[in-house]
Amino acid sequence: MTRRITDGARHRPQITMLDSAEQVTHAAARRILDYIATTPDPVLGLATGRTPLAVYAALVGARRRGVSFAAVTSFNLDEYRGLAADHPASFAAYMRRELVDHIDIRQGHVPSGLGNAEAIATDYECQIAAAGGIGLQLLGIGVNGHIGFNEPGSPFDSRTRKVRLTEATQRANDADFPPGTPVPDEAITMGIATILSARQILLLATGRAKRDALRCAFGVSPDPSCPASALQYHPHVVLICDRAAAEGLA
Ligand code: F6R
């Protein structure tokens, strides 16, 4: 019989609670750089959104100080459907702007938002496997507990696929689009099982707005109504958060 994710043991994340978002950035960048320095052929899973912006700036700073990313391969979590890689609001453009164009990374992958979603998803999973799997997955968390673009109700055994975005997520990302340009209502995202296949997960959460998301992720039994609660089935989750977000863990 196939073993399901929910058959596994539950774990507590290793929590580092810090006073400020700046300290969260510093600690996260440190962990990523340590992972790169100590791992042959490091494979990073990367996120977009506001939370990792300062982390990427810190990695760019490390490159300027001489750190090399030449052995690193990365795979982003997700992309909007319907956006070409050169669309300024695409996650591909975000990654080039914030990180990839400023470091000597071997290869940075973002799933394509155009073309046959099923073929792209299958190919993305194959590319991750061919790279040896993700060693360290960086994650943010949506206010509704989403990880990647796995919205509430996403099956814990999901792999990379096309998904529909909730209105709440579209609204949260509205500012990234020029006025009058609607946020796409579909995306392609690594699934929850894809994320849980990473050897280590580094989850960042800052600000009061993430309080309830952390509560549903770690304060109650895992349930697909809160996608991040699947992280309880992963043995190596490091949560770095500020005090405001950590109120949800009390
Ligand atoms: C981004 C992603 C999302 C974000 C989440 C939090 O690639 O997959 O899950 O991590 O929406 O976004 P911010 O950091 O903007 O609050």
Side-chain angles (χ1 to χ4, degrees):
M1 220 175 80
T2 348
R3 203 174 137 77
R4 289 167 307 179
I5 282 167
T6 47
D7 293 336
R10 282 168 58 194
H11 308 267
R12 291 281 300 162
Q14 181 195 315
I15 301 173
T16 301
M17 197 203 301
L18 298 166
D19 285 329
S20 66
E22 290 72 28
Q23 289 173 347
V24 169
T25 295
H26 184 77
R30 191 67 269 143
R31 272 207 169 251
I32 294 169
L33 291 170
D34 284 350
Y35 164 72
I36 291 171
T38 55
T39 312
D41 300 320
V43 182
L44 285 174
L46 296 178
T48 57
R50 278 162 285 284
T51 311
L53 278 173
V55 177
Y56 295 148
L59 297 182
V60 171
R63 173 68 198 129
R64 287 202 191 107
R65 292 192 304 276
V67 172
S68 176
F69 295 78
V72 176
T73 304
S74 70
F75 290 91
N76 265 74
L77 285 163
D78 42 18
E79 180 59 286
Y80 291 109
R81 284 286 294 164
L83 296 195
D86 61 358
H87 189 291
S90 71
F91 290 158
Y94 168 113
M95 288 311 298
R96 285 196 305 274
R97 205 166 46 233
E98 305 299 335
L99 184 68
V100 170
D101 281 357
H102 313 289
I103 60 173
D104 58 338
I105 194 165
R106 176 151 87 186
Q107 212 174 2
H109 301 266
V110 180
S112 172
L114 300 177
N116 180 302
E118 229 173 274
I120 291 163
T122 307
D123 186 51
Y124 207 59
E125 290 276 345
C126 288
Q127 288 185 66
I128 294 172
I134 291 171
L136 178 66
Q137 174 68 56
L138 178 64
L139 286 183
I141 185 168
V143 288
N144 62 3
H146 72 225
I147 48 174
F149 268 147
N150 295 284
E151 297 279 37
S154 297
F156 284 179
D157 61 359
S158 52
R159 311 283 326 184
T160 304
R161 70 205 184 289
K162 181 173 84 171
V163 291
R164 187 158 275 280
L165 299 179
T166 60
E167 274 180 35
T169 297
Q170 288 178 275
R171 262 199 314 277
N173 293 351
D174 196 42
D176 301 332
F177 287 77
T181 307
V183 181
D185 60 2
E186 283 184 348
I188 184 158
T189 182
M190 280 187 202
I192 293 179
T194 319
I195 293 170
L196 293 184
S197 302
R199 286 186 275 286
Q200 290 179 59
I201 293 179
L202 178 57
L203 172 64
L204 308 184
T206 54
R208 268 198 118 215
K210 299 296 169 73
R211 198 181 44 172
D212 293 344
L214 286 189
R215 181 174 298 127
C216 88
F218 300 112
V220 294
S221 296
D223 188 274
S225 61
C226 181
S229 66
L231 297 174
Q232 292 182 40
Y233 291 111
H234 196 290
H236 301 294
V237 175
V238 173
L239 164 63
I240 308 183
C241 60
D242 63 3
R243 289 193 190 282
E247 280 177 34
L249 299 167

